[in-house]
Amino acid sequence: MAEQSRELVVLMTRGTDHELSSVGFTIANGGMTAGLKVSMFLTSAAVDLVRKKAADTTQVSPLEPLNTMIRDFIKRGGTLWACTPCVKARGYAQEDLIEGVGITGASAMHERIKAGAATLSF
């Protein structure tokens, strides 16, 4: 029997205007509850999710508010990466993003996948 992955990488492309951003964070937090080590790579419009105050008014009922889920993800030890070219394209810098977010290229995500992480995309 093959060993099952204990790690999950979630690739997120949706921003605050799409319900899949809330669904992705719900599933990522659920993965941590299930004992997985979870990393999220935010690309395209998803980098807007971690700009300070950007997710403060987003809530998809009956889910928790998006900003609560993002803070919970970071507080519980989830790894949150924002795509370097996507951040630059929007004119953002590290100080524009919430605490706990790293700006990095896709290679960080690729390393986790090569090591056997399961993947989900939203």
Side-chain angles (χ1 to χ4, degrees):
M1 181 187 292
E3 183 178 323
Q4 292 183 329
S5 175
R6 299 265 212 205
E7 190 165 356
L8 174 63
V9 172
V10 177
L11 173 65
M12 179 85 67
T13 62
R14 306 296 183 144
T16 58
D17 62 339
H18 201 286
E19 67 183 11
L20 285 178
S21 58
S22 293
V23 172
F25 272 96
T26 298
I27 290 174
N29 282 325
M32 286 194 291
T33 299
L36 296 172
K37 178 179 177 181
V38 182
S39 303
M40 294 187 81
F41 186 72
L42 309 178
T43 186
S44 208
V47 299
D48 295 325
L49 299 173
V50 294
R51 186 175 43 83
K52 291 177 181 171
K53 300 187 184 280
D56 285 359
T57 60
T58 300
Q59 181 171 6
V60 176
S61 193
L63 303 176
E64 294 290 323
L66 183 57
N67 64 353
T68 301
M69 289 190 281
I70 293 169
R71 282 194 308 264
D72 189 42
F73 180 79
I74 294 169
K75 184 174 132 184
R76 294 174 63 198
T79 301
L80 198 49
W81 297 308
C83 163
T84 303
C86 302
V87 168
K88 287 182 180 179
R90 285 160 176 75
Y92 301 161
Q94 186 70 55
E95 58 270 12
D96 297 312
L97 306 181
I98 61 174
E99 190 174 330
V101 177
I103 300 173
T104 188
S107 60
M109 173 184 62
H110 295 151
E111 288 302 316
R112 299 277 171 92
I113 294 169
K114 286 179 5 185
T119 60
L120 290 174
S121 298
F122 293 93

